[in-house]
Amino acid sequence: METFFYVGTYTQPIHFGTGEVLLGKGEGIYCIALDHDTGTARVVHVNPSVPNPSFLCCSGQGFLWAVSELKEYEGMASGAVSSFRIHRDSLALERINTVQTMGENPCYVSVDPESGLLFAANYSSGSLSVFPVNGDGSLEPVCQLITRVGSGPRADRQEGPHVHCAVPLPGMSRVLACDLGTDRICEYPIRPDNSRLSEDLVRENAAPAGSGPRHLAFSAGLDVCYVSLELSSGILTLRRDGSGWTPVQTVDSCDKSHTGGAHIENLCADIHLTPDGRFLYCSNRGRDCISASAVAPDGTLRHRGDFPSNGRTPRSFCVDPSGAYLLCANQDSDNVSIFRIGQEDGGLELTGVVEIPTPVNVVALPELD
């Protein structure tokens, strides 16, 4: 049996908020096939249609959307987001249209199928873009741009707001967004007419000062939320209650007690649960590992181990829909590593590697309607 995934890459120079400049070497959006029997994968095709398609999302209706992580697009201080049609026979991508995000360096994209809205997080501008999605997968221009204000105690990384993700809560008409620059996790209701977000009803939840909330993962019941804290290399657990989200636990994203650990700067990144909710994984850049935690019945975490990512700078990763494999994009070693997930202990066993230049994001192709 094969499962298919799309991989976003950097195709040209990208300027990070740290001042670092990375030379993107990718050719576009890659489609790869994972063989469940062997745990190996192959590249099916490459779609080279847009620059810096770093982050992706898909729908069961056969559409894919990709940001172009840029500071300037068509002469404006803006990145872009493109819509694609997935050809069901070849899984090749056909671009439908491209619109500007009206914010610099969009680094995350997500879609809410109930409202028909798409969200892009603009890291450098500290803003959140909202787009209506048409029935044919095409995007209307930005209908709402939420520009945040504020800063955090880390002057080198929190001089201003930096929206890093925006994740819809399925069936709840709400979106949670992480602002790394202000240490806030913001919950925006979607208006009843599905036209935009209700900025006046936003609930802001504070993360620990200087921690830099980055990405989110939700339990199946949407009552527990796990937040990767990039700057402090932590994981924050929040539980939903009548007034919003209450912090219940903060733990290290990886084991810092190993020899030399105190001297290695670590920035955690992506975070995902297995489909059965028993294990939580978090990628760590610096330690270059994927950490595994067991999830207790009350939602709290117990560290189970750190597993080398088999590459440098593990960015995004994906747990395949069956829960059998984890695919990790190692940005600075130009590969995607494939791991078999231990069903008893959550451990990771390397089974294969696919060579892909400057990979950033891996998403599974959902079952198409």
Side-chain angles (χ1 to χ4, degrees), residues 277-306:
R278 295 173 56 226
F279 301 107
L280 180 82
Y281 297 96
C282 183
S283 57
N284 292 275
R285 301 161 296 167
R287 283 290 312 278
D288 288 343
C289 68
I290 304 291
S291 65
S293 298
V295 181
D298 65 356
T300 56
L301 303 175
R302 180 167 60 89
H303 186 260
R304 296 302 299 269
D306 299 330

PDB file of all heavy atoms in Angstrom, residues 277-306:
ATOM      1  N   GLY A 277      -4.103   9.648  19.480  1.00  0.00           N
ATOM      2  CA  GLY A 277      -3.891  10.579  20.584  1.00  0.00           C
ATOM      3  C   GLY A 277      -3.002  10.076  21.695  1.00  0.00           C
ATOM      4  O   GLY A 277      -2.871  10.740  22.731  1.00  0.00           O
ATOM      5  N   ARG A 278      -2.315   8.934  21.497  1.00  0.00           N
ATOM      6  CA  ARG A 278      -1.511   8.357  22.570  1.00  0.00           C
ATOM      7  C   ARG A 278      -0.122   8.964  22.682  1.00  0.00           C
ATOM      8  O   ARG A 278       0.495   8.938  23.750  1.00  0.00           O
ATOM      9  CB  ARG A 278      -1.398   6.846  22.383  1.00  0.00           C
ATOM     10  CG  ARG A 278      -2.712   6.110  22.513  1.00  0.00           C
ATOM     11  CD  ARG A 278      -2.544   4.643  22.147  1.00  0.00           C
ATOM     12  NE  ARG A 278      -1.509   4.013  22.946  1.00  0.00           N
ATOM     13  CZ  ARG A 278      -0.560   3.220  22.457  1.00  0.00           C
ATOM     14  NH1 ARG A 278      -0.503   2.974  21.159  1.00  0.00           N
ATOM     15  NH2 ARG A 278       0.349   2.678  23.264  1.00  0.00           N
ATOM     16  N   PHE A 279       0.403   9.501  21.566  1.00  0.00           N
ATOM     17  CA  PHE A 279       1.758  10.042  21.573  1.00  0.00           C
ATOM     18  C   PHE A 279       1.788  11.407  20.905  1.00  0.00           C
ATOM     19  O   PHE A 279       1.064  11.653  19.927  1.00  0.00           O
ATOM     20  CB  PHE A 279       2.726   9.095  20.856  1.00  0.00           C
ATOM     21  CG  PHE A 279       2.792   7.728  21.467  1.00  0.00           C
ATOM     22  CD1 PHE A 279       2.203   6.648  20.833  1.00  0.00           C
ATOM     23  CD2 PHE A 279       3.423   7.529  22.686  1.00  0.00           C
ATOM     24  CE1 PHE A 279       2.248   5.380  21.403  1.00  0.00           C
ATOM     25  CE2 PHE A 279       3.472   6.276  23.267  1.00  0.00           C
ATOM     26  CZ  PHE A 279       2.887   5.194  22.627  1.00  0.00           C
ATOM     27  N   LEU A 280       2.645  12.280  21.442  1.00  0.00           N
ATOM     28  CA  LEU A 280       2.857  13.620  20.903  1.00  0.00           C
ATOM     29  C   LEU A 280       4.322  13.741  20.500  1.00  0.00           C
ATOM     30  O   LEU A 280       5.219  13.321  21.238  1.00  0.00           O
ATOM     31  CB  LEU A 280       2.521  14.688  21.944  1.00  0.00           C
ATOM     32  CG  LEU A 280       2.708  16.140  21.488  1.00  0.00           C
ATOM     33  CD1 LEU A 280       1.482  16.598  20.704  1.00  0.00           C
ATOM     34  CD2 LEU A 280       2.952  17.069  22.669  1.00  0.00           C
ATOM     35  N   TYR A 281       4.565  14.357  19.321  1.00  0.00           N
ATOM     36  CA  TYR A 281       5.926  14.541  18.814  1.00  0.00           C
ATOM     37  C   TYR A 281       6.196  16.026  18.603  1.00  0.00           C
ATOM     38  O   TYR A 281       5.286  16.796  18.262  1.00  0.00           O
ATOM     39  CB  TYR A 281       6.124  13.775  17.509  1.00  0.00           C
ATOM     40  CG  TYR A 281       5.964  12.277  17.677  1.00  0.00           C
ATOM     41  CD1 TYR A 281       4.751  11.667  17.403  1.00  0.00           C
ATOM     42  CD2 TYR A 281       7.016  11.496  18.146  1.00  0.00           C
ATOM     43  CE1 TYR A 281       4.582  10.296  17.589  1.00  0.00           C
ATOM     44  CE2 TYR A 281       6.868  10.135  18.325  1.00  0.00           C
ATOM     45  CZ  TYR A 281       5.642   9.543  18.048  1.00  0.00           C
ATOM     46  OH  TYR A 281       5.490   8.190  18.240  1.00  0.00           O
ATOM     47  N   CYS A 282       7.464  16.406  18.781  1.00  0.00           N
ATOM     48  CA  CYS A 282       7.882  17.791  18.584  1.00  0.00           C
ATOM     49  C   CYS A 282       9.266  17.791  17.951  1.00  0.00           C
ATOM     50  O   CYS A 282      10.149  17.030  18.372  1.00  0.00           O
ATOM     51  CB  CYS A 282       7.909  18.533  19.917  1.00  0.00           C
ATOM     52  SG  CYS A 282       8.324  20.297  19.806  1.00  0.00           S
ATOM     53  N   SER A 283       9.462  18.615  16.915  1.00  0.00           N
ATOM     54  CA  SER A 283      10.773  18.693  16.263  1.00  0.00           C
ATOM     55  C   SER A 283      11.636  19.741  16.956  1.00  0.00           C
ATOM     56  O   SER A 283      11.151  20.780  17.409  1.00  0.00           O
ATOM     57  CB  SER A 283      10.623  19.022  14.776  1.00  0.00           C
ATOM     58  OG  SER A 283       9.922  20.232  14.577  1.00  0.00           O
ATOM     59  N   ASN A 284      12.946  19.449  17.031  1.00  0.00           N
ATOM     60  CA  ASN A 284      13.899  20.308  17.731  1.00  0.00           C
ATOM     61  C   ASN A 284      15.087  20.608  16.836  1.00  0.00           C
ATOM     62  O   ASN A 284      15.826  19.696  16.429  1.00  0.00           O
ATOM     63  CB  ASN A 284      14.382  19.617  19.006  1.00  0.00           C
ATOM     64  CG  ASN A 284      13.295  19.480  20.038  1.00  0.00           C
ATOM     65  OD1 ASN A 284      13.040  20.394  20.813  1.00  0.00           O
ATOM     66  ND2 ASN A 284      12.628  18.331  20.049  1.00  0.00           N
ATOM     67  N   ARG A 285      15.281  21.896  16.520  1.00  0.00           N
ATOM     68  CA  ARG A 285      16.424  22.349  15.715  1.00  0.00           C
ATOM     69  C   ARG A 285      17.512  22.812  16.668  1.00  0.00           C
ATOM     70  O   ARG A 285      17.265  23.607  17.556  1.00  0.00           O
ATOM     71  CB  ARG A 285      15.994  23.495  14.798  1.00  0.00           C
ATOM     72  CG  ARG A 285      14.861  23.113  13.844  1.00  0.00           C
ATOM     73  CD  ARG A 285      14.153  24.333  13.299  1.00  0.00           C
ATOM     74  NE  ARG A 285      13.495  25.072  14.369  1.00  0.00           N
ATOM     75  CZ  ARG A 285      13.013  26.308  14.231  1.00  0.00           C
ATOM     76  NH1 ARG A 285      13.147  26.948  13.080  1.00  0.00           N
ATOM     77  NH2 ARG A 285      12.414  26.896  15.243  1.00  0.00           N
ATOM     78  N   GLY A 286      18.703  22.295  16.466  1.00  0.00           N
ATOM     79  CA  GLY A 286      19.799  22.485  17.418  1.00  0.00           C
ATOM     80  C   GLY A 286      20.156  21.125  17.952  1.00  0.00           C
ATOM     81  O   GLY A 286      21.253  20.608  17.700  1.00  0.00           O
ATOM     82  N   ARG A 287      19.243  20.514  18.680  1.00  0.00           N
ATOM     83  CA  ARG A 287      19.401  19.110  19.057  1.00  0.00           C
ATOM     84  C   ARG A 287      19.187  18.204  17.852  1.00  0.00           C
ATOM     85  O   ARG A 287      19.616  17.050  17.858  1.00  0.00           O
ATOM     86  CB  ARG A 287      18.377  18.739  20.144  1.00  0.00           C
ATOM     87  CG  ARG A 287      18.710  19.215  21.544  1.00  0.00           C
ATOM     88  CD  ARG A 287      19.885  18.465  22.152  1.00  0.00           C
ATOM     89  NE  ARG A 287      19.760  17.025  22.016  1.00  0.00           N
ATOM     90  CZ  ARG A 287      19.046  16.259  22.828  1.00  0.00           C
ATOM     91  NH1 ARG A 287      18.387  16.800  23.848  1.00  0.00           N
ATOM     92  NH2 ARG A 287      18.999  14.955  22.639  1.00  0.00           N
ATOM     93  N   ASP A 288      18.501  18.703  16.800  1.00  0.00           N
ATOM     94  CA  ASP A 288      18.218  17.950  15.578  1.00  0.00           C
ATOM     95  C   ASP A 288      17.624  16.579  15.906  1.00  0.00           C
ATOM     96  O   ASP A 288      18.148  15.516  15.540  1.00  0.00           O
ATOM     97  CB  ASP A 288      19.478  17.797  14.728  1.00  0.00           C
ATOM     98  CG  ASP A 288      19.892  19.111  14.076  1.00  0.00           C
ATOM     99  OD1 ASP A 288      19.053  20.035  14.018  1.00  0.00           O
ATOM    100  OD2 ASP A 288      21.048  19.218  13.629  1.00  0.00           O
ATOM    101  N   CYS A 289      16.505  16.638  16.604  1.00  0.00           N
ATOM    102  CA  CYS A 289      15.835  15.412  17.006  1.00  0.00           C
ATOM    103  C   CYS A 289      14.321  15.617  16.996  1.00  0.00           C
ATOM    104  O   CYS A 289      13.825  16.744  16.933  1.00  0.00           O
ATOM    105  CB  CYS A 289      16.293  14.965  18.399  1.00  0.00           C
ATOM    106  SG  CYS A 289      15.773  16.072  19.736  1.00  0.00           S
ATOM    107  N   ILE A 290      13.613  14.495  17.051  1.00  0.00           N
ATOM    108  CA  ILE A 290      12.167  14.494  17.259  1.00  0.00           C
ATOM    109  C   ILE A 290      11.936  13.929  18.655  1.00  0.00           C
ATOM    110  O   ILE A 290      12.386  12.813  18.962  1.00  0.00           O
ATOM    111  CB  ILE A 290      11.435  13.615  16.225  1.00  0.00           C
ATOM    112  CG1 ILE A 290      11.765  14.060  14.801  1.00  0.00           C
ATOM    113  CG2 ILE A 290       9.935  13.661  16.475  1.00  0.00           C
ATOM    114  CD1 ILE A 290      11.197  15.401  14.413  1.00  0.00           C
ATOM    115  N   SER A 291      11.277  14.696  19.520  1.00  0.00           N
ATOM    116  CA  SER A 291      10.988  14.201  20.860  1.00  0.00           C
ATOM    117  C   SER A 291       9.630  13.515  20.866  1.00  0.00           C
ATOM    118  O   SER A 291       8.712  13.895  20.126  1.00  0.00           O
ATOM    119  CB  SER A 291      10.991  15.349  21.867  1.00  0.00           C
ATOM    120  OG  SER A 291       9.931  16.255  21.596  1.00  0.00           O
ATOM    121  N   ALA A 292       9.512  12.480  21.679  1.00  0.00           N
ATOM    122  CA  ALA A 292       8.265  11.729  21.815  1.00  0.00           C
ATOM    123  C   ALA A 292       7.789  11.813  23.256  1.00  0.00           C
ATOM    124  O   ALA A 292       8.582  11.659  24.195  1.00  0.00           O
ATOM    125  CB  ALA A 292       8.476  10.270  21.417  1.00  0.00           C
ATOM    126  N   SER A 293       6.494  12.062  23.420  1.00  0.00           N
ATOM    127  CA  SER A 293       5.881  12.092  24.747  1.00  0.00           C
ATOM    128  C   SER A 293       4.645  11.220  24.749  1.00  0.00           C
ATOM    129  O   SER A 293       3.893  11.188  23.765  1.00  0.00           O
ATOM    130  CB  SER A 293       5.489  13.525  25.151  1.00  0.00           C
ATOM    131  OG  SER A 293       6.616  14.373  25.233  1.00  0.00           O
ATOM    132  N   ALA A 294       4.433  10.512  25.849  1.00  0.00           N
ATOM    133  CA  ALA A 294       3.198   9.759  26.036  1.00  0.00           C
ATOM    134  C   ALA A 294       2.143  10.697  26.614  1.00  0.00           C
ATOM    135  O   ALA A 294       2.439  11.556  27.452  1.00  0.00           O
ATOM    136  CB  ALA A 294       3.430   8.581  26.964  1.00  0.00           C
ATOM    137  N   VAL A 295       0.908  10.562  26.137  1.00  0.00           N
ATOM    138  CA  VAL A 295      -0.191  11.421  26.579  1.00  0.00           C
ATOM    139  C   VAL A 295      -1.023  10.660  27.601  1.00  0.00           C
ATOM    140  O   VAL A 295      -1.555   9.579  27.309  1.00  0.00           O
ATOM    141  CB  VAL A 295      -1.067  11.850  25.394  1.00  0.00           C
ATOM    142  CG1 VAL A 295      -2.198  12.758  25.871  1.00  0.00           C
ATOM    143  CG2 VAL A 295      -0.228  12.556  24.332  1.00  0.00           C
ATOM    144  N   ALA A 296      -1.138  11.202  28.798  1.00  0.00           N
ATOM    145  CA  ALA A 296      -1.923  10.581  29.863  1.00  0.00           C
ATOM    146  C   ALA A 296      -3.415  10.818  29.620  1.00  0.00           C
ATOM    147  O   ALA A 296      -3.797  11.699  28.842  1.00  0.00           O
ATOM    148  CB  ALA A 296      -1.500  11.154  31.211  1.00  0.00           C
ATOM    149  N   PRO A 297      -4.272  10.052  30.287  1.00  0.00           N
ATOM    150  CA  PRO A 297      -5.720  10.251  30.112  1.00  0.00           C
ATOM    151  C   PRO A 297      -6.191  11.669  30.399  1.00  0.00           C
ATOM    152  O   PRO A 297      -7.171  12.135  29.804  1.00  0.00           O
ATOM    153  CB  PRO A 297      -6.328   9.247  31.099  1.00  0.00           C
ATOM    154  CG  PRO A 297      -5.311   8.147  31.182  1.00  0.00           C
ATOM    155  CD  PRO A 297      -3.981   8.851  31.099  1.00  0.00           C
ATOM    156  N   ASP A 298      -5.480  12.381  31.290  1.00  0.00           N
ATOM    157  CA  ASP A 298      -5.878  13.762  31.588  1.00  0.00           C
ATOM    158  C   ASP A 298      -5.246  14.770  30.629  1.00  0.00           C
ATOM    159  O   ASP A 298      -5.396  15.980  30.802  1.00  0.00           O
ATOM    160  CB  ASP A 298      -5.539  14.124  33.028  1.00  0.00           C
ATOM    161  CG  ASP A 298      -4.029  14.129  33.315  1.00  0.00           C
ATOM    162  OD1 ASP A 298      -3.241  13.782  32.401  1.00  0.00           O
ATOM    163  OD2 ASP A 298      -3.642  14.477  34.445  1.00  0.00           O
ATOM    164  N   GLY A 299      -4.498  14.277  29.620  1.00  0.00           N
ATOM    165  CA  GLY A 299      -3.902  15.164  28.622  1.00  0.00           C
ATOM    166  C   GLY A 299      -2.499  15.616  28.935  1.00  0.00           C
ATOM    167  O   GLY A 299      -1.847  16.231  28.077  1.00  0.00           O
ATOM    168  N   THR A 300      -1.985  15.358  30.125  1.00  0.00           N
ATOM    169  CA  THR A 300      -0.628  15.763  30.464  1.00  0.00           C
ATOM    170  C   THR A 300       0.381  14.840  29.776  1.00  0.00           C
ATOM    171  O   THR A 300       0.048  13.738  29.325  1.00  0.00           O
ATOM    172  CB  THR A 300      -0.400  15.758  31.981  1.00  0.00           C
ATOM    173  OG1 THR A 300      -0.711  14.467  32.501  1.00  0.00           O
ATOM    174  CG2 THR A 300      -1.285  16.809  32.650  1.00  0.00           C
ATOM    175  N   LEU A 301       1.629  15.310  29.710  1.00  0.00           N
ATOM    176  CA  LEU A 301       2.665  14.638  28.924  1.00  0.00           C
ATOM    177  C   LEU A 301       3.740  14.030  29.813  1.00  0.00           C
ATOM    178  O   LEU A 301       4.086  14.579  30.855  1.00  0.00           O
ATOM    179  CB  LEU A 301       3.322  15.631  27.966  1.00  0.00           C
ATOM    180  CG  LEU A 301       2.403  16.361  26.979  1.00  0.00           C
ATOM    181  CD1 LEU A 301       3.201  17.400  26.181  1.00  0.00           C
ATOM    182  CD2 LEU A 301       1.714  15.378  26.042  1.00  0.00           C
ATOM    183  N   ARG A 302       4.283  12.894  29.331  1.00  0.00           N
ATOM    184  CA  ARG A 302       5.445  12.275  29.961  1.00  0.00           C
ATOM    185  C   ARG A 302       6.458  11.963  28.875  1.00  0.00           C
ATOM    186  O   ARG A 302       6.161  11.242  27.928  1.00  0.00           O
ATOM    187  CB  ARG A 302       5.042  10.999  30.696  1.00  0.00           C
ATOM    188  CG  ARG A 302       6.212  10.291  31.385  1.00  0.00           C
ATOM    189  CD  ARG A 302       5.695   9.223  32.343  1.00  0.00           C
ATOM    190  NE  ARG A 302       4.915   8.215  31.638  1.00  0.00           N
ATOM    191  CZ  ARG A 302       5.419   7.109  31.086  1.00  0.00           C
ATOM    192  NH1 ARG A 302       6.734   6.896  31.131  1.00  0.00           N
ATOM    193  NH2 ARG A 302       4.644   6.230  30.503  1.00  0.00           N
ATOM    194  N   HIS A 303       7.652  12.545  29.002  1.00  0.00           N
ATOM    195  CA  HIS A 303       8.690  12.396  27.982  1.00  0.00           C
ATOM    196  C   HIS A 303       9.099  10.936  27.837  1.00  0.00           C
ATOM    197  O   HIS A 303       9.380  10.254  28.820  1.00  0.00           O
ATOM    198  CB  HIS A 303       9.899  13.252  28.368  1.00  0.00           C
ATOM    199  CG  HIS A 303      10.970  13.291  27.326  1.00  0.00           C
ATOM    200  ND1 HIS A 303      12.109  12.525  27.407  1.00  0.00           N
ATOM    201  CD2 HIS A 303      11.074  13.990  26.165  1.00  0.00           C
ATOM    202  CE1 HIS A 303      12.877  12.766  26.359  1.00  0.00           C
ATOM    203  NE2 HIS A 303      12.274  13.645  25.587  1.00  0.00           N
ATOM    204  N   ARG A 304       9.133  10.443  26.570  1.00  0.00           N
ATOM    205  CA  ARG A 304       9.493   9.052  26.312  1.00  0.00           C
ATOM    206  C   ARG A 304      10.848   8.906  25.634  1.00  0.00           C
ATOM    207  O   ARG A 304      11.426   7.819  25.625  1.00  0.00           O
ATOM    208  CB  ARG A 304       8.418   8.387  25.440  1.00  0.00           C
ATOM    209  CG  ARG A 304       7.060   8.284  26.092  1.00  0.00           C
ATOM    210  CD  ARG A 304       7.110   7.506  27.390  1.00  0.00           C
ATOM    211  NE  ARG A 304       7.559   6.136  27.203  1.00  0.00           N
ATOM    212  CZ  ARG A 304       6.740   5.107  26.971  1.00  0.00           C
ATOM    213  NH1 ARG A 304       5.434   5.298  26.902  1.00  0.00           N
ATOM    214  NH2 ARG A 304       7.223   3.895  26.819  1.00  0.00           N
ATOM    215  N   GLY A 305      11.345   9.971  25.026  1.00  0.00           N
ATOM    216  CA  GLY A 305      12.656   9.867  24.397  1.00  0.00           C
ATOM    217  C   GLY A 305      12.841  10.857  23.277  1.00  0.00           C
ATOM    218  O   GLY A 305      11.871  11.438  22.766  1.00  0.00           O
ATOM    219  N   ASP A 306      14.106  11.083  22.915  1.00  0.00           N
ATOM    220  CA  ASP A 306      14.477  11.945  21.782  1.00  0.00           C
ATOM    221  C   ASP A 306      15.134  11.069  20.721  1.00  0.00           C
ATOM    222  O   ASP A 306      16.019  10.267  21.032  1.00  0.00           O
ATOM    223  CB  ASP A 306      15.464  13.029  22.229  1.00  0.00           C
ATOM    224  CG  ASP A 306      14.891  13.948  23.291  1.00  0.00           C
ATOM    225  OD1 ASP A 306      13.666  14.148  23.284  1.00  0.00           O
ATOM    226  OD2 ASP A 306      15.669  14.451  24.126  1.00  0.00           O
TER     227      ASP A 306
END
